[in-house]
Amino acid sequence: MKPSRISTKLSFYISVFIIVAFMPLQIYNFLILKSEITNQINKEQYTQAQFIAEDIQKKIKIRTKFLAALADKIPVQKMQSEDFIKELLKTNISFTDFFPQGFAVIRASGDGAIAEYPVIPGRKNVVFAESEWMIKAKDSEGVIISLPFRSRVIDEILVVIAIALRDESGEVLGVLEAPIFFNRPEFIEYIFDKDFSKQSDIFVVSRKERRFIAASDPNFIFKTTPIKGQDLFFDQVMDGFNGYSSTATSANDQMLAAAADVKSSDWFVIIRTPVDKVYQVINDSLRATIINGLIVGVTVFLVIMFFLTFFFTPLRKAAASVREMVLQNKSLSHIEGYKEDEIGDLIVGFNAAIDMVNDRNEALEKSNSALESLSQIDSLTEVYNRRWLDKTLNHLWMVKVRSQQPLTLLMIDIDHFKNFNDTYGHIAGDDCLKVVAQTIQKTVNRPTDSLFRYGGEEFVILLESTLKEGALVAEKVRLAVSNLNIPHIESSYKHVTISTGVASAIPQLIIKPVELIKHADLALYQSKEHGRNRSECHNDREIVSIIKQSS
């Protein structure tokens, strides 16, 4: 029997209804998710760019201070003694890993080196008289940093940190210099992180030179920046903008990008991620959802059209049930069944379609829940990540503003962790991070206490308690990690230790939560300055030691 026009229409309308009820909601959810992910990735890019820029700034500051101190150790009367200076340089290079490429003392005339360590073939005979950094150092009373350039001795991009060596009358007797090679792991290790570079590009750019001086993609190194007008975001950053946005390259590739300045120089860090990589998983899920929705719609259409040919009277009851679910905005559920007839078969088929839709929705909800969980947890250490710290801290800050109760933050850093990685390898380093994180997690076990991985080898503990309680927790955690006795031959303690900075505050609306992190970081700095393997506490007046270093 051929289906009547009424049955065809009814089948068509019901199928379209299911598709219209299901698909737009899913598409809307995906659009919202895409917008939130874009915003979150932009913020994380900007945080990463700021962190890298601050790290570069810190490394330059430390190296500048070290070079000035080394210059003070070179006596005027020994300036022409190659053996003395070489031994002095050799002795000092063993104290630090700041300058793996070594030092050189250049003659005041610029005609080669008086002494160098280690020896770089060819450097001793190079004429530096016209070098920008040589001229700059001789005209300056302190340490200078050169513009980035390509070395004539080693074909790599570098800057030179230099200081003039003078006699009592101020005459220049020589110039102490040390190169910093940008594109080596010991200075900017982030661009060599293969896992990160698979998703994003990292660049360090000189505004004055208009060149890429370091890059995760070697093809960009020391290339000129895009000409004005090719990349609007790049143009803004070249004009001094710090922040994040979406942009397009000269090849019309859509990118999410963020930039932050290195404060003591004309350099800036830029991180960009192709939009296609960001949205690949989401787009695949959206396509699968649309296809599944169409399959459900077509299945429902065929089933209903077949069975409605014979029995219209019972069909009105089924249609009434469907309309009730729609008009009363109820969730899709099984329609009351009939006896074994054609309409009964239709209801069975319709209920099967509803089950399929519900199963798809349940699977999607589980996927969304898994995504949300992954966005909170650090994949290596399995503790909360930096993103969740920011969210939790902001929430607790507002809660404590209302209750005027203290909020305490512990900033934890594994001592000499870079040396640990260099000595035992990154796999052992990852294992060490996991064990330390698990140990801290077991030690901090109150329901209101939370542990987060702040970044690299740094962790943060949030306590809804006082500074005194935070100090006790800090010492408890320090002892727990120390008692692990993880070997670390590069540490003065010969095993892995941690340093902790503790800060506490009663939150106020006029104060931003980030100030608590800054205070804890300052206390952590003092802890490192006082010998590491200890805890320091910050208050509004001074940093005071609360736990003495263990014997």
Side-chain angles (χ1 to χ4, degrees), residues 516-528:
L516 188 60
I517 296 178
K518 290 180 180 178
H519 287 179
D521 194 46
L522 182 59
L524 174 61
Y525 176 80
Q526 291 295 102
S527 179
K528 292 179 181 180

Side-chain angles (χ1 to χ4, degrees), residues 114-132:
I114 298 173
E116 62 177 339
Y117 187 85
V119 175
I120 296 179
R123 177 165 63 178
K124 198 167 185 178
N125 298 320
V126 174
V127 177
F128 298 99
E130 300 300 322
S131 297
E132 174 263 346

